[in-house]
Amino acid sequence: MQTGIQESIWRAAVWFGGMVCAASLLAMAGTCAQAAQPHRVTGKIYFQQVQIAYIGSGAAGRGRLTFRGRTYPFTIAGLGVGGIGLSKLTATGNVYDLNSLPDFEGVYGQARLGWAVANKGGGNLWLANDKGVTLKLKTRRQGLMLAGGADGVKISFSH
């Protein structure tokens, strides 16, 4: 009987330690994202996606980019670590340092922090790609989720 209790305590300790590590990584990612301040607003972005997380996380959705007076539809999908739950995320914000339309597509690193309980929830989302494009977003979540972690997302224009 003690072996089962000891194993449960050990698993809880490992889980807690993992969460502390994830929180530390998130804090560092958020600090790095904020330290690398974007230079100029060059567009606006809106998207919705469904996120599911249990240690690992996945997301898929659609959105639109407004750049130089035109609107461009895109898809967004990603995988990562951190968080628990299921939610629908709506994000709006600014695009920084986008010089040409092809620079928007690609893989973005993401630091996220947010929560959702029923139809109330919010947070912030920062994404940056290797072409110098940065997205700073305000998010609203619906569902049941505690999101914290880092991952990569791929943005592709819809055709």
Side-chain angles (χ1 to χ4, degrees), residues 4-141:
I5 293 171
Q6 289 172 340
E7 186 176 326
S8 295
I9 291 171
W10 175 250
R11 285 184 186 191
V14 169
W15 181 84
F16 181 74
M19 296 313 291
V20 168
C21 288
S24 298
L25 288 172
L26 178 63
M28 288 187 320
T31 300
C32 292
Q34 290 174 340
Q37 291 296 315
H39 296 99
R40 61 190 163 78
V41 175
T42 53
K44 299 281 184 189
I45 189 172
Y46 166 86
F47 67 87
Q48 289 186 329
Q49 69 180 18
V50 173
Q51 294 184 328
I52 186 167
Y54 180 74
I55 302 172
S57 62
R62 297 188 169 278
R64 63 183 180 269
L65 163 71
T66 303
F67 177 65
R68 295 185 179 160
R70 296 192 62 197
T71 301
Y72 303 90
F74 65 88
T75 59
I76 184 168
L79 297 172
V81 296
I84 187 168
L86 174 67
S87 71
K88 176 182 170 186
L89 175 123
T90 302
T92 58
N94 292 323
V95 178
Y96 294 84
D97 301 326
L98 177 60
N99 296 314
S100 66
L101 194 57
D103 290 346
F104 182 72
E105 284 189 297
V107 177
Y108 286 75
Q110 169 178 295
R112 59 187 155 79
L113 181 61
W115 57 275
V117 176
N119 65 351
K120 297 183 180 190
N124 294 300
L125 186 63
W126 303 272
L127 297 120
N129 73 12
D130 63 345
K131 299 169 194 157
V133 179
T134 303
L135 312 176
K136 288 187 134 184
L137 307 164
K138 292 285 186 190
T139 61
R140 180 166 179 212
R141 294 181 187 275

